[in-house]
Every structure is written in C-alpha cells, then in structure tokens.
Amino acid sequence: MIILGLHFGHDASVSIIQDGQLLINLYRERHNRVKHAATLDINLVDQALNEAGLEINNIDYAAITSTQCYEIITNEPSSFSVAYGNKSVTNIPCSLRDLLEKNNETIEKLCNGSSFLSAVFNSESDYHRKLFPESQGKKINDFNSLPYLSDYIDFPGIWGVRKTLEEMGQTNYEFFKNNEQARHGFHYPITLNFRDHKIAGFMIQHHACHAASVYYLSELNNAAIMTHDGAFYRFGHNNGMYFYGDHHKIYPITPHHLAVGDFYDQVGSFLGFDLFGAAGKLMGLAPYGKPRFFDKKFVGNSYNLLKNNLGDSTAQAWIDHCLQMAKMMNYNFSSLSQLDKITDPINADIAASTQKVFEETIVLASQSLHRLMFGVGVNTKNLCFAGGVALNCPANSRLHRESPFEKIVIEPNCDDSGLAVGAAFYLYHNILDNPLVESPQGKLVKPYYGAKYSKESIEGVINKFSQTHNIKYKKIYNASESAATDLANNKIIGWFEGRSEAGPRALGHRSILADARQKDNWKKVNDVKKREHWRPFAPACLESELHKWFLGCPQTSPYMLFTGHVTSQEVPAITHIDGSARIQSVNESCGDFYNLLKTFDKLTGVPIVLNTSFNGPGEPIVESALDALNFLVNTTLDILYISGFRIVRG
C-alpha cells in the first residue's frame, strides 16, 4: 500500500510511505529556497514521485494536513486541488463524518475561512508574504483555496471542563482508553485531484499528525504522547493533546490547554527577534542570563494561569511582570530589546526567566500525563514528545532527568516539517488499521529521506559551475579522511553527503564543520554564516565516546535535541557560556560523516567536531550541490566537500 502525505502549512512538505516504510520526504523550503515556505505546488509532488520511482496512479490514498488556520492552497487548481468528501471510503471508520451525517450538518461548519491567504493579500505585515513568495504579482482569486478544517470530534462534557495540569493528572480519563469513536474522530474524507486522477484520502488533525510523526517512527509498542507548538490557541485540541499509542492505534485522551509555546515565541519577539526564529534564538540567549524574574504563578496550562488571575494575554502579563521586577532591581533599561546589545542583563535575564517558566511547565505537563496514564491503568515507561516546542533542548534534558518516564523519544522533524510524514503514517496505521512494521535498519537513527543525487549529476553541476566561477575541484579517494585532516588543520568546511536530513538541524549530511578545540572557531563560524557572534554551536560526537564528554543527557542523542554538560575544557568552540552543549551522537547510520569523526578522533584524540547547519542567515539548509557551491563562493568557507569532491575557491 502506498500513501502520499501532503502538508500545506508553513514548513510545507511531501512524503511517501509504502507498506509502513518511509520512502521520501521533501521540504518545500529546501527547493524554493524560502525558509519555512508555506503551501505546495505540483512540481514538488512530481519530484517526490520520481524520487520514489512511482507514478500518481500508484498512490492508493492521500493524507492531507496543514498548520492551524493555513488553508489548503494550490496555484494550479485545474491540475492540483483538494476537496472535502469521498464516497469511496464510506467503509473506513470516520466518527466525524458519521456525527455530521447524523445531525444533518456539513463539514463547512467546522472550517475556518481564508486565514492565511487573506493575510498574504490584505495584511500590512509582510510576515505571511515571506512564506508564500509565489503570491507576488498575483491576485487572491488566482489560487484554489480549501478552508482549514479546524474542529474535529469533541467531548465537551469531559474536554470542556476547566482543569489545571494538576487537576488533569487526578482525573479519570478511562473513557478514552480504548474509545474507537475518539480514535476515529480526528480525520475526514477528502478527494485529491491530481491532473486526471482522483485519489481518495483523509484530512487529518494537526496534532494527530504530530503524534503520529513521533510515535510511528519510535519503534515502541506503547507510549504516552504529548504534542504542543507555538499556536496562539489557549484552549482545545488545536494547541496540543495528550494521546496514548497502543501498538498501531493512537487514542486521543484530552487537550492539555498549554499555551507556553506561543508564550515563548511572543517573548522572543518582544526582545527583537523575528517571530519565526524567536524560539531558537531565545533558547540560545537564555544561558547568558539568570532566571531572576521567575515566578511560579506563570507555570501551568491556560487554566492554571486563569486561576492565578493572569488572563488570556499571558505573554504580555509576563513581560509586564519582568519589567516591573527589573525596575525594582534597578536594571539598566537602555539596551532592552536592542539586538546589538542582546546579551546585556535586562535581555538575558528575561530570556533565562522565560526559559525556566517554559521548562517548569513542560516538566509539570509530563508529570500530569504520567499520573493521568496511571489513573487509566496504563503503566507505560515511554514518552513521545512532538510539536515545535520539542525543539527546546534544555527542556528536553529536564524531561530526561526529571520526568516520571524512563524513555523520551523526539523525532528530528518534530516541528511542522514532520506533518506530511505524520499524516501518512496516521492514515496507514490508525485509520486503515495496518499493524506496526519493524525496520531492519532501525528507523530511529536514520533521518536521511531527502532527494537523491547521483555522483554523475553532482560532478556535472560542479564542472558547469567551475566554468562560470573561480573554483578548483578534484575527486578524493577517501573524502572523510581528507576532511578530517582539513579540520585538524583548522579549516572550516562544508560537508554535503547523500540525502538531506529531516528537521531544521544539521545531522551530518548538510553541515558546516570546524575543529571544536579552537575557541576562535566559535566566532569564525558565526562569521561564515553571517550571524550574531553570541550564538552557540553544537557538537557532533561519536556515540561510543559521548559518555566521556557530556553528562546529564541521554547517551544516545542522534538528532541534536538534548543538551548535556561539557566535562572537558578541550572543546571550547562548542561549550556554551553555562557549560552546556546541544549534542548529536554519531554512529554508523550517519554514513561517511561517522568515518570523518572516527578519523578526526585518531588524528587529534578528540571524537568531537563543531557541527552547524549548512545555511546563511534567513536561509533554509542547502539541498542541492548548486546551493552548496553558491554558499562557498559567497562566504569565507575554506573548503567544500560534496559527495567525494573537494572544492576550494580559485
């Protein structure tokens, strides 16, 4: 069985799975070179099909999803569009369809209007237009738009009761433990029109896709699942859920009503960061400060905050609180929200205090979920965590150390970039009831599902580029050994290998690398990437050696999603100001990148290199050889390795 997964929101993507195995996952941003790009075009679907060796008539079902309030937009409505409803899937369980038919209601009742498209064409802000550059010079009527399906099945007598996180942990949710109506309530039939083909499928709820994206790739048979992201919702399932994964089934248990994701983004925006990059920069800034403004009354879900008389605008209440505290403590306000002075105490301490509120809330939410699961007779030791907030490494390490769960699983594309994968797996397993599939390679340590590039095509690109640009290149017999030697000689290199990695962080296939022993490389690599000097870098470390160099983190961390305490002074370029580092563990599954690290360890006695994403400011990670070559000639990068070729400027 072959399923096509399509995510139309920001960080839009296309995936294809066959018999429960992921074949391909392409990100729109990597191909149109617009970071966090929204909507899909027909060409990316064609490319995914070609990469998988398939044609559209090979697709059995389509799984569709989007970011909250981002409608399904296509710019070739005669060839590529989605419509609600499909009579060919009436035999497949769908509680939402059954409920609407019973009440003689239509799906439009549960949809939002044209939220994203209206913002693109009518808003004075260019925030949305940046994500959809194809709209330039067009009119709103040039695009086909299917409204976002916002509301799915609901149980207002249970889910609508106001409960704090502590109260939720004490509530008996056994009603949902094996509730098939709830399990089949987060999808609705659709028809995908693709040229002359009509493909049956389902629209799938946003957070159900987040849950599926982590659980079905976890290789677990059961897990508690928590999802949350930066959506502006305060209540209900659109800002996140507690789920339970039981073999191939995912049961929704309850919305948790967290709002800390949006809270975190808004504080970062207040400090002067662009909203879409605010969370990552705020996380990096926090160690420069102290959590002097922390107040426990801001910890919890939206009902905790209402109970503490903080109202709906929690971010503004928090900012006011921090500024009031800072005034009482005689802080200097002159550098507040000034990016050129962002590490000054007023900014850094707001960041550190916000980070602590975030961490305490996530840990409390995990404790609530654990008690909740125990209350319904489920004693799972596993927690799957997904949604954009799961990119916060210090919070994840707190979960590792302090949550009641023994195993914490987070996928590299835990943000919205993983939704196409999640949608496809949710349809295959939870809707169509196919059993879990064991992967002989070990799915959890193989994030490389981007496009394929042959060595012949890459050499052709390099040769053609050399005719128009001043570069020199040669084929290297052992590229990993050559690159390790260059790194040991303190060169900064770009490393391009095989298929690109999933998620927003470099995992050794599209990386910029440097010698972590050289403290100056912190500044030098920031200069190469043309970003702020204060921003930290991550280490890639041989998995077998990780325990000797880092503490307080999982000893397997393949996706750069946990922080550890650096135990040695030998690697200052990856050691943050608080002694922490965002680690990536590397083993044989990482390909030639693993051999590079092994060789570097033999040369230097240090099994660690500085590893950062291969991109410039405001750009997506490079996808193609041409992207990497353009980066080389436009920056101060010393050397570029592309699939066995060593390239330098002439």
Side-chain angles (χ1 to χ4, degrees):
M1 179 181 291
I2 302 175
I3 294 175
L4 174 67
L6 302 175
H7 163 50
F8 285 83
H10 65 68
D11 297 285
S13 54
V14 177
S15 71
I16 300 175
I17 68 171
Q18 182 172 13
D19 298 330
Q21 297 283 359
L22 181 59
L23 301 181
I24 190 78
N25 184 32
L26 302 182
Y27 297 148
R28 180 121 159 90
E29 70 165 18
R30 307 276 176 90
H31 296 269
N32 75 349
R33 308 308 300 157
V34 175
K35 197 165 186 178
H36 302 298
T39 79
L40 291 174
D41 70 354
I42 201 167
N43 296 325
L44 194 65
V45 181
D46 282 335
Q47 183 177 353
L49 290 167
N50 290 335
E51 294 279 353
L54 300 168
E55 297 180 356
I56 193 64
N57 57 9
N58 298 130
I59 301 297
D60 294 296
Y61 294 99
I64 311 293
T65 193
S66 191
T67 303
Q68 300 96 323
C69 290
Y70 283 54
E71 56 269 57
I72 310 303
I73 301 169
T74 62
N75 57 1
E76 297 182 50
S78 62
S79 302
F80 182 34
S81 64
V82 181
Y84 287 118
N86 192 296
K87 293 182 179 180
S88 70
V89 294
T90 54
N91 62 320
I92 297 174
C94 179
S95 306
L96 185 60
R97 175 195 59 209
D98 298 343
L99 187 63
L100 289 172
E101 289 178 355
K102 178 181 177 181
N103 296 330
N104 196 28
E105 295 173 331
T106 63
I107 192 64
E108 286 73 20
K109 174 187 176 183
L110 303 178
C111 293
N112 279 349
S114 179
S115 302
F116 176 74
L117 206 54
S118 291
V120 168
F121 285 95
N122 300 323
S123 174
E124 293 182 3
S125 169
D126 64 354
Y127 169 77
H128 292 89
R129 285 190 289 274
K130 286 181 180 178
L131 306 183
F132 190 26
E134 292 84 358
S135 64
Q136 297 296 319
K138 300 287 185 68
K139 298 178 181 178
I140 193 169
N141 293 331
D142 292 333
F143 300 94
N144 185 75
S145 173
L146 182 72
Y148 176 74
L149 180 52
S150 177
D151 298 321
Y152 290 75
I153 198 166
D154 194 10
F155 299 89
I158 305 175
W159 290 355
V161 178
R162 295 187 170 202
K163 290 185 181 294
T164 64
L165 287 178
E166 296 86 351
E167 291 167 343
M168 292 173 70
Q170 299 166 6
T171 299
N172 188 340
Y173 289 97
E174 194 166 3
F175 172 76
F176 295 100
K177 182 179 176 182
N178 295 298
N179 190 314
E180 294 298 297
Q181 183 188 26
R183 181 166 81 92
H184 290 298
F186 275 17
H187 57 269
Y188 188 84
I190 57 93
T191 300
L192 171 64
N193 302 298
F194 195 90
R195 297 194 174 95
D196 297 327
H197 297 270
K198 292 186 180 298
I199 302 168
F202 292 89
M203 183 75 68
I204 303 171
Q205 197 262 357
H206 180 93
H207 281 279
C209 294
H210 274 315
S213 72
V214 59
Y215 176 65
Y216 290 128
L217 289 173
S218 70
E219 298 191 320
L220 299 171
N221 289 320
N222 64 78
I225 308 170
M226 179 168 67
T227 71
H228 184 44
D229 53 28
F232 55 82
Y233 297 93
R234 297 289 177 266
F235 311 98
H237 58 62
N238 270 308
N239 67 347
M241 292 281 298
Y242 289 150
F243 297 90
Y244 172 52
D246 183 10
H247 290 85
H248 73 276
K249 301 176 180 180
I250 290 180
Y251 292 98
I253 304 299
T254 181
H256 47 54
H257 312 296
L258 290 174
V260 73
D262 179 61
F263 162 86
Y264 198 82
D265 288 344
Q266 294 300 329
V267 176
S269 179
F270 167 77
L271 289 177
F273 302 129
D274 289 340
L275 187 61
F276 248 121
K281 291 187 178 182
L282 186 64
M283 181 179 70
L285 176 62
Y288 286 92
K290 302 293 182 184
R292 293 189 174 96
F293 310 138
F294 173 76
D295 191 322
K296 194 173 182 179
K297 71 181 180 182
F298 287 91
V299 174
N301 69 3
S302 294
Y303 291 124
N304 284 100
L305 304 177
L306 285 175
K307 186 176 180 180
N308 293 332
N309 298 314
L310 294 173
D312 288 338
S313 184
T314 311
Q316 189 57 55
W318 168 251
I319 291 167
D320 292 342
H321 161 81
C322 289
L323 297 181
Q324 184 178 11
M325 291 281 291
K327 186 175 181 180
M328 292 172 58
M329 297 178 183
N330 296 317
Y331 274 71
N332 182 346
F333 279 67
S334 64
S335 58
L336 178 64
S337 301
Q338 300 296 314
L339 292 180
D340 60 341
K341 298 180 180 179
I342 199 66
T343 59
D344 282 5
I346 184 64
N347 299 311
D349 288 355
I350 289 175
S353 303
T354 304
Q355 177 66 29
K356 185 168 183 179
V357 170
F358 183 95
E359 292 177 16
E360 295 292 333
T361 299
I362 295 300
V363 170
L364 179 61
S366 76
Q367 294 168 344
S368 169
L369 176 56
H370 188 268
R371 287 193 295 269
L372 181 158
M373 298 301 295
F374 190 78
V376 301
V378 175
N379 190 23
T380 182
K381 299 177 181 179
N382 307 314
L383 173 64
C384 289
F385 186 25
V389 298
L391 290 170
N392 191 291
C393 300
N396 296 341
S397 293
R398 288 280 304 274
L399 286 177
H400 166 72
R401 296 191 299 268
E402 301 175 35
S403 88
F405 296 97
E406 294 181 12
K407 185 177 183 66
I408 312 295
V409 178
I410 309 168
E411 281 294 302
N413 52 351
C414 58
D415 60 348
D416 280 12
S417 67
L419 290 176
V421 171
F425 276 105
Y426 190 88
L427 174 53
Y428 182 77
H429 291 299
N430 193 65
I431 299 176
L432 299 177
D433 274 329
N434 289 298
L436 297 179
V437 179
E438 291 188 9
S439 170
Q441 297 94 355
K443 288 177 288 188
L444 192 60
V445 290
K446 190 181 179 187
Y448 311 112
Y449 289 101
K452 308 180 190 77
Y453 300 95
S454 69
K455 287 191 175 182
E456 292 76 17
S457 67
I458 286 174
E459 185 170 14
V461 170
I462 297 172
N463 181 56
K464 185 176 180 180
F465 196 88
S466 70
Q467 297 171 21
T468 56
H469 293 77
N470 187 22
I471 64 167
K472 298 178 181 178
Y473 72 95
K474 62 180 178 178
K475 184 72 180 291
I476 303 294
Y477 172 72
N478 191 329
S480 59
E481 182 176 310
S482 175
T485 302
D486 283 333
L487 288 170
N489 290 328
N490 203 26
K491 300 297 183 181
I492 298 171
I493 71 170
W495 181 259
F496 180 112
E497 173 188 351
R499 300 169 71 178
S500 59
E501 50 267 77
R505 292 176 181 157
L507 301 176
H509 278 204
R510 302 290 187 275
S511 291
I512 293 174
L513 307 175
D515 188 346
R517 301 172 302 162
Q518 307 297 326
K519 185 177 181 179
D520 286 349
N521 281 342
W522 182 332
K523 178 181 180 298
K524 288 181 179 179
V525 178
N526 270 323
D527 285 338
V528 169
K529 296 191 62 166
K530 301 176 184 177
R531 68 177 203 172
E532 307 92 333
H533 285 160
W534 59 267
R535 293 179 61 187
F537 289 107
C541 178
L542 289 174
E543 185 176 285
S544 60
E545 304 300 306
L546 190 139
H547 67 285
K548 300 176 184 178
W549 295 81
F550 304 97
L551 297 175
C553 55
Q555 291 307 300
T556 300
S557 177
Y559 301 144
M560 211 180 283
L561 289 167
F562 295 88
T563 54
H565 177 73
V566 185
T567 61
S568 171
Q569 296 182 357
E570 292 185 63
V571 284
I574 55 86
T575 304
H576 207 358
I577 193 169
D578 63 345
S580 70
R582 187 179 68 192
I583 54 172
Q584 178 201 0
S585 59
V586 177
N587 61 24
E588 293 91 336
S589 69
C590 297
D592 216 21
F593 184 51
Y594 169 75
N595 296 324
L596 184 158
L597 270 172
K598 289 278 288 184
T599 304
F600 187 81
D601 185 26
K602 289 179 182 178
L603 292 172
T604 66
V606 175
I608 297 167
V609 297
L610 182 158
N611 178 19
T612 186
S613 56
F614 198 161
N615 63 306
E619 297 176 348
I621 294 174
V622 302
E623 170 60 30
S624 68
L626 182 59
D627 298 333
L629 288 164
N630 279 321
F631 186 97
L632 172 68
V633 299
N634 288 298
T635 68
T636 56
L637 189 72
D638 293 320
I639 303 165
L640 172 62
Y641 283 86
I642 302 182
S643 299
F645 293 94
R646 185 180 187 272
I647 310 161
V648 297
R649 290 182 298 277

